[in-house]
Amino acid sequence: DKGRLQVESNAILFEVIGMISNLVASLILMWYSPNPPMFIAYIFFLIATVFLMYGAWSRKSFGFTAMYLVYLGIDGIGFIKTIL
């Protein structure tokens, strides 16, 4: 089915973008340790979480979607604490 194939390729694309964003955030933490710019790192973590969550949702993976929602909450709280 062509529509299902399109959804799966979009999910893979979103997950690859999410993984790259997560990798960039981790590299920022590594490169600038022990005092990394958390504002920038959290932006990449949040972008990664949104892309990964959409990829999981489009694949109808409830477990991964729920996990990424938790990550979104954790990273969101960390981001808010960073800017306050």
Side-chain angles (χ1 to χ4, degrees), residues 1-2 4-5 8 10 20 26 31-33 37-38 42-43 50-52 58-59 63 65 71 79:
D1 178 55
K2 188 176 179 181
R4 178 149 173 81
L5 184 61
E8 288 176 4
N10 284 345
I20 291 169
S26 297
W31 188 261
Y32 292 101
S33 183
M38 293 307 295
Y42 272 124
I43 288 173
V50 168
F51 276 97
L52 289 167
S58 65
R59 288 188 294 108
T65 302
Y71 285 164
F79 182 70

Side-chain angles (χ1 to χ4, degrees), residues 5-55:
L5 184 61
Q6 182 68 28
V7 169
E8 288 176 4
S9 66
N10 284 345
I12 292 170
L13 175 65
F14 274 83
E15 289 173 341
V16 168
I17 292 170
M19 288 186 286
I20 291 169
S21 297
N22 218 348
L23 180 63
V24 168
S26 297
L27 288 171
I28 289 170
L29 294 179
M30 182 262 320
W31 188 261
Y32 292 101
S33 183
N35 298 310
M38 293 307 295
F39 178 82
I40 296 169
Y42 272 124
I43 288 173
F44 280 101
F45 279 133
L46 290 168
I47 289 168
T49 302
V50 168
F51 276 97
L52 289 167
M53 188 170 48
Y54 178 77

